[in-house]
C-alpha cells in the first residue's frame, strides 16, 4: 500500500543537491574530510520519490553531513514499496555490506529481525523511546526487542464534503446513513476508499475490525485472538455497504490516488485516505477543494478513532562495516528536532517525534494527526505478514463483493493467522 502512505514529492530549494550512484557502483567509498583525513561513507538504502535527487531525504542527509563530516551518509535510492524490499533482500541474503542503514516499512520489522538482517537497537532504546509516539515505536519492535528507530509515520483520516455534510459522522453506520441520504438528493456517491484487492484493502478492513473491538493476536503475538463472529459481522457490513451504494461506484477497484481523484472530481461525499491528499485537494481549485474538511475515521462504537499505522523506520544492517556510526545516524533521524520538524514542514510527512505535533498545532493536518496517531495501530510486524496479507486480500475481497459467504471468509482469515504463528 505504501505510498509511504502519505508522503509526497517536494523540492528542497534550501538544500544542496548531490548526485546518486547506481546500485551497480561500489557502495562503500572513501572520501576526504575538510581537514584532509579520510572517512568511510555510509549508505542509506531507502525507496520512493523522496529519496531521489532533490527530495526530502536528501536534504536531511545534507544536514547530517554538515554536522558529521567524518561519517558522511549517501542515499542509495531504491524503488518504492515491494521493490525496495526486494533490493534489500538481494543484498542481505548474500550478507552483503552494500547498505549500512535500511529504511524498513513498519510491517517488515519481524521479517528482517528473524532473518538476522538487522542489529538490535536495545542499547539506544531509552533515547528513542523518550521522544517517539507509542504506535511507531511498537512497529519497530519484534519479540519485545527494538530492531529499528521510528522515522516517519502516517495515519488515515476521513475527508468529507462540508457543503453536503453538516458534521462528520462518528460511526460507520452513521456514515452510510448520511451517504445514502445525499444520494437520494444528488448523483454523488458515498464513501471512496481503498477497496481494490491489494494491501490497502487489508488496511481498510483492519480499521473496521479494530474499531469494532477486534484483534488479530494477543499482545505478544504468541496466540491468535481472532473473533470469527465479529469478523463475520464486519464483512457483512462491508457487503451491505457495497450493495446499498454506501460505498461509491468504483470502490472495489480503487487504490489511494483513485479514491483521491473520485473525491476531487466531486463524485463522492466521503473519502478515507492518507494526509497527502489534503494539499492536493487545496491546490485543485474544483468544487471539492472549496468545500471539504478532515476528521478522524469513525468507529463502530462511536468512541475514539482507529487508524492503521503507516510509515518507515530505520534499521542498521547486520552486515554493515560501521555499525556504530550507522546507529548514531538512525538515532539522530528519530531524535533530532530539526530533522523531525523538516519532515513535517518541508515534506508534509508525519514525523514520529511526539513534541513536534504540539509545536505544529496550528496546521490542520498535523493537529489532527497528533490525535489520530495516539490511537493508531500497527499491522503485525510479523515475518509472515506478506503471505498473511495476500490471503486476507483474497478472502475480504470475495466476501464483500458477494463471491464468498462472510462467515466462511472470516474462518479462512482465522485459519491463515493460525497457520503462520
Amino acid at each position: 500500500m505504501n505510498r509511504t502512505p502519505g508522503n509526497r514529492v517536494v523540492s528542497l530549494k534550501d538544500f544542496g543537491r548531490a548526485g546518486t550512484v547506481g546500485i551497480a557502483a561500489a557502495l562503500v567509498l572513501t572520501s576526504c574530510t575538510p581537514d584532509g583525513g579520510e572517512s568511510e561513507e555510509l549508505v542509506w538504502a531507502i525507496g520512493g520519490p523522496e529519496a531521489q535527487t532533490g527530495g526530502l531525504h536528501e536534504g536531511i542527509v545534507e544536514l547530517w553531513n554538515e554536522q558529521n563530516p567524518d561519517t558522511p551518509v549517501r542515499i542509495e535510492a531504491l524503488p518504492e514499496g515491494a521493490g525496495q524490499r526486494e533490493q534489500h533482500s538481494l543484498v542481505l541474503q548474500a550478507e552483503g555490506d552494500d547498505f549500512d542503514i535500511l529504511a524498513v516499512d513498519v510491517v517488515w520489522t519481524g521479517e528482517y529481525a528473524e532473518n538476522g538482517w538487522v542489529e538490535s537497537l536495545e542499547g539506544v532504546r531509552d533515547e528513542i523511546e523518550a521522544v517517539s509516539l507509542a504506535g511507531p515505536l511498537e512497529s519497530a519492535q519484534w519479540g519485545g526487542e527494538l530492531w529499528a528507530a521510528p522515522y516517519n509515520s502516517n495515519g488515515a483520516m476521513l475527508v468529507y464534503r462540508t457543503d453536503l455534510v453538516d458534521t462528520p459522522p462518528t460511526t460507520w453506520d452513521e456514515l452510510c446513513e448520511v451517504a445514502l441520504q445525499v444520494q437520494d438528493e444528488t448523483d454523488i456517491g458515498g464513501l471512496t476508499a481503498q477497496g481494490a484487492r491489494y494491501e490497502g484493502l487489508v488496511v481498510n478492513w483492519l480499521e473496521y475490525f479494530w474499531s469494532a473491538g477486534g484483534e488479530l493476536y494477543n499482545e505478544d503475538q504468541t496466540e491468535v485472538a481472532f473473533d470469527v463472529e465479529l469478523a463475520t459481522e464486519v464483512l457483512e457490513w462491508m457487503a451491505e455497504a457495497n450493495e446499498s451504494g454506501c460505498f461509491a461506484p468504483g470502490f472495489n477497484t480503487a487504490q489511494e490516488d483513485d479514491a483521491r481523484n473520485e473525491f476531487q472530481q466531486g463524485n463522492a461525499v466521503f473519502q478515507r485516505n492518507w494526509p497527502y491528499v489534503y494539499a492536493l485537494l487545496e491546490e485543485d481549485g474544483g468544487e471539492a477543494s472549496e468545500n471539504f474538511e478532515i476528521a478522524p475515521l469513525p468507529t463502530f462504537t462511536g468512541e475514539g478513532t482507529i487508524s492503521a499505522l503507516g510509515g518507515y523506520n530505520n534499521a542498521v544492517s547486520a552486515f554493515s562495516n560501521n555499525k556504530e556510526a550507522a546507529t548514531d545516524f538512525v538515532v539522530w533521524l528519530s531524535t533530532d528536532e530539526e530533522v523531525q520538524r523538516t519532515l513535517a514542514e518541508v515534506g508534509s510527512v508525519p514525523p514520529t517525534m511526539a513534541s513536534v505535533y504540539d509545536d505544529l498545532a496550528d496546521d490542520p493536518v498535523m493537529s489532527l494527526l497528533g490525535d489520530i496517531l495516539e490511537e493508531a495501530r500497527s499491522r503485525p510486524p510479523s515475518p509472515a505478514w506478506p503471505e498473511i496479507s495476500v490471503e486476507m486480500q483474497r478472502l475480504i475481497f470475495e466476501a464483500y463483493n458477494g463471491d464468498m459467504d462472510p462467515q466462511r471468509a472470516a474462518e479462512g482469515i482465522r485459519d491463515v493467522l493460525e497457520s503462520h504463528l
Side-chain angles (χ1 to χ4, degrees), residues 21 25-32 38-43 70 72 74 97-98 100:
V21 180
L27 296 176
V28 180
L29 306 176
T30 300
S31 57
C32 293
E38 292 185 346
S39 62
E40 186 176 20
E41 186 176 57
L42 302 173
V43 177
D70 291 339
R74 175 178 59 78
D97 60 2
D98 301 10
D100 299 283

Side-chain angles (χ1 to χ4, degrees), residues 81-104:
Q84 176 177 328
R85 179 171 163 269
E86 290 171 5
Q87 292 286 355
H88 281 175
S89 64
L90 284 172
V91 170
L92 297 169
Q93 285 174 354
E95 300 187 3
D97 60 2
D98 301 10
F99 306 144
D100 299 283
I101 303 106
L102 308 165
V104 180

